[in-house]
Amino acid sequence: MTGAAVAEGSARILVPKGVFFNSEMRLCRDFSVLALKAALAGKKVRAVDATAGTGVRGIRYSKEAGGAVGELFLVDVNRRAAAATRRNLKLNGVKGKVANNAFQRFACSDAARKGFGFIELDPFGSPVPFLHDAARLSRDGTILSVTATDAAVLCGAHPKACLKNYQAKPLNACCCHEVGARILLGKIARTASEFNFGIAPLFTLSHKHYFKAFVALSEGAERAVESVRELGFVAHCSKCLETVYRKGVANALPQKCAACGESPEYAGPLWLGRIQDGALLAKILSIDRGRDKGVEKTASALLAEARLPPLYFELHLMAKRLSVGAVKPESVCRMLERKGFACAGTHFRHNSVKTDAPKSEVENAVAKLAAKGRRAKRARRL
Ligand SMILES: C[S@@+](CC[C@H](N)C(=O)[O-])C[C@H]1O[C@@H](n2cnc3c(N)ncnc32)[C@H](O)[C@@H]1O
């Protein structure tokens, strides 16, 4: 078996022809490894990499997550991928059982029926076809690690595909990335609840063409009901940019925009609960401190927005609507913080802010800062 050799983290991986490996997903893998280490902190679990490819994720979790991985299974439907995974396990001195099978079939095997404490789902496109089996193989405390590379679908570029796969309406407008991530979490919550689990997102990341979420499951009817109660809908007015969200059923949302009377666009059902666990992100930062610039930057960004309510204000859209020049998110945050509001940028979208201030306060800050910018420009010209 020939192929390219790749070094990533503490793993050395051979990538034969016909086996999938994307070096652009490195940040996703680096972050996931640290998240598992932080989340399990000394606990050992039975783990499965359900869509292994070269086996890189399973191998890195095993080598780098602080001994969190006990018995390890690696599954791939592609014969070449299963062979590559076997070879890479050997190359890295990692013990693991490889199944050349569809995960959905593997899930019916005796080995799988014992359940898992950690399940890695990193398929092509949508993870939805894997969620039922992942939930069925979960136990109290299981961590689901879910990648969705169908971000375009979740962000509203293909609304019919989103309806078919996630039974949800996306938003092809302001906040579409966070709305997409929350539609994914909503689908995970609905599937988990069918198997009597509630969910608690540990981190949610939007990067390039994909979303990645780590979600901890807790068993019990009450937990499942509490989780489903975190689902709701969003209404966004493209005329005045007013965005409102409500947990519960769709008719709790206004039929007309309360600010301008226009008919808003709706999105959902989606998860309106917490999407980041601040304590876990702080732990990732303390484990990683200074070792990996990408992980540090990402964890810091997620931590800064962890305490803030859902959705964000896109400042370029707001400035355009107010017919003023561009303003910096940091300046808007400083101004809002001086008034006692919480505010931060968001990794979901550049030039945007998350805040607990109402839209009118953000508009005020944008207008004032733009006017200040105009005055400074004029003074420089004189
Ligand atoms: C995106 S790749 C995995 C990449 C790998 N996790 C990594 O980080 O490099 C998806 C893999 O899922 C496999 N696959 C697709 N459908 C599957 C199924 N139903 N069960 C198991 N594996 C599947 C493909 O053969 C492919 O190797």
Side-chain angles (χ1 to χ4, degrees), residues 151-159 162 170-173 176:
V153 168
L154 286 158
C155 292
H158 312 287
C162 193
L171 203 59
N172 194 8
C176 68

Side-chain angles (χ1 to χ4, degrees), residues 39-119:
L40 288 180
K43 224 172 96 191
K44 219 181 236 330
V45 296
R46 218 168 171 251
V48 60
D49 183 348
T51 48
T54 59
V56 60
R57 286 187 192 253
I59 289 168
R60 289 198 58 193
Y61 287 127
S62 188
K63 289 182 94 166
E64 298 172 43
V69 173
E71 203 178 0
L72 171 66
F73 292 80
L74 303 100
V75 185
D76 202 294
V77 73
N78 177 333
R79 189 171 45 81
R80 287 186 190 181
T85 296
R86 276 192 199 99
R87 173 129 184 224
N88 283 324
L89 283 167
K90 218 175 198 178
L91 190 65
N92 286 278
V94 169
K95 283 206 175 87
K97 298 179 183 88
V98 178
N100 177 203
N101 209 344
F103 175 64
Q104 294 81 349
R105 280 178 181 275
F106 166 80
C108 301
S109 66
D110 286 343
R113 252 178 255 143
K114 282 189 197 161
F116 297 97
F118 179 67
I119 302 177

Side-chain angles (χ1 to χ4, degrees), residues 32 34 45 58 87 94 101 173 177 262 283 297 300 308 359:
S32 302
L34 283 178
V45 296
R87 173 129 184 224
V94 169
N101 209 344
H177 285 85
E262 198 71 8
K283 214 164 168 189
K297 194 172 152 210
S300 304
L308 292 162
K359 181 170 75 92

